[in-house]
Amino acid sequence: MTLEELWQLFPIILTPHQPQWKEWAREEIEQLSLILSACSPVINHIGSTAIPAIWAKPIIDILVEVPEDADWAQLKRIMDANGYICMNASGNRMSFNKGYTPQGYADRVFHIHFHIIGDHNEIYFRDYLTAHLSVAKEYENLKLGLLPKYKHDRDGYTNAKSEFVDRVVTLAKH
């Protein structure tokens, strides 16, 4: 399938916050903790599903931080063997998806992001929006406004949010 065909099958969907997302993240984090225990990962629920009270894509984002000397090839093999699909691997980052089927989204969909310990701007972003509801609502409005234009263009959607995200991360670090 081409990227455009994938984006048609898996459009961007935004829904009101769902309380079960926290539980789904907890369950997935437990599973990841077990299969990755050899590398002592630091695992966090990130992304909009981790921020109460805002609309989000119903996709649970999880950040897995591993030591700098981690065996990335072994981590990839473990994830592959456990049903995760590697979407990207470059430098000290990898990302995996779970919950994408030939018919579309499964009931539970996950994006798992691997970074080196300490490379976690996503946590700064999550914590800042959780502590500042007005900024979280501003982010929600941005996403809802972008949806009509980028419903079938995930890269464009992500890029259109990047200036806002970068600004919030800078605020959070200060």
Side-chain angles (χ1 to χ4, degrees):
M1 279 188 151
T2 67
L3 195 54
E4 289 73 23
E5 290 170 327
L6 284 172
W7 286 341
Q8 289 298 316
L9 183 59
F10 301 108
I12 294 171
I13 299 166
L14 295 174
T15 66
H17 185 82
Q18 303 295 313
Q20 68 266 25
W21 290 340
K22 183 177 182 178
E23 180 63 18
W24 293 356
R26 186 193 62 73
E27 291 170 2
E28 198 70 17
I29 288 169
E30 283 180 8
Q31 178 66 22
L32 290 165
S33 295
L34 286 173
I35 66 174
L36 300 169
S37 63
C39 71
S40 302
V42 176
I43 307 176
N44 279 281
H45 181 196
I46 59 167
S48 293
T49 60
I51 302 164
I54 68 168
W55 285 51
K57 294 187 307 285
I59 297 170
I60 309 300
D61 285 288
I62 295 175
L63 176 63
V64 178
E65 294 178 82
V66 297
E68 193 168 349
D69 63 351
D71 183 342
W72 291 86
Q74 176 64 11
L75 291 171
K76 184 179 181 314
R77 284 191 293 275
I78 291 169
M79 295 297 285
D80 289 342
N82 283 277
Y84 296 89
I85 299 167
C86 185
M87 300 305 294
N88 188 325
S90 61
N92 290 329
R93 290 190 171 190
M94 284 191 299
S95 63
F96 295 84
N97 290 354
K98 179 177 157 185
Y100 290 79
T101 76
Q103 295 75 38
Y105 293 114
D107 289 337
R108 296 184 186 192
V109 180
F110 299 91
H111 289 177
I112 313 299
H113 310 271
F114 279 76
H115 294 191
I116 296 295
I117 290 175
D119 178 8
H120 54 231
N121 283 349
E122 298 85 352
I123 294 172
Y124 286 108
F125 186 74
R126 177 203 65 198
D127 290 352
Y128 192 88
L129 291 188
T130 299
H132 300 88
L133 184 58
S134 64
V135 179
K137 288 297 185 181
E138 187 181 337
Y139 184 55
E140 175 185 77
N141 289 333
L142 171 64
K143 295 189 309 175
L144 290 168
L146 294 171
L147 186 58
K149 181 176 181 180
Y150 295 107
K151 183 174 184 154
H152 297 286
D153 180 358
R154 191 172 298 269
D155 290 344
Y157 178 77
T158 299
N159 290 338
K161 298 184 304 177
S162 64
E163 184 178 318
F164 182 93
V165 172
D166 292 345
R167 181 174 55 84
V168 170
V169 168
T170 300
L171 284 170
K173 286 182 172 182
H174 292 98

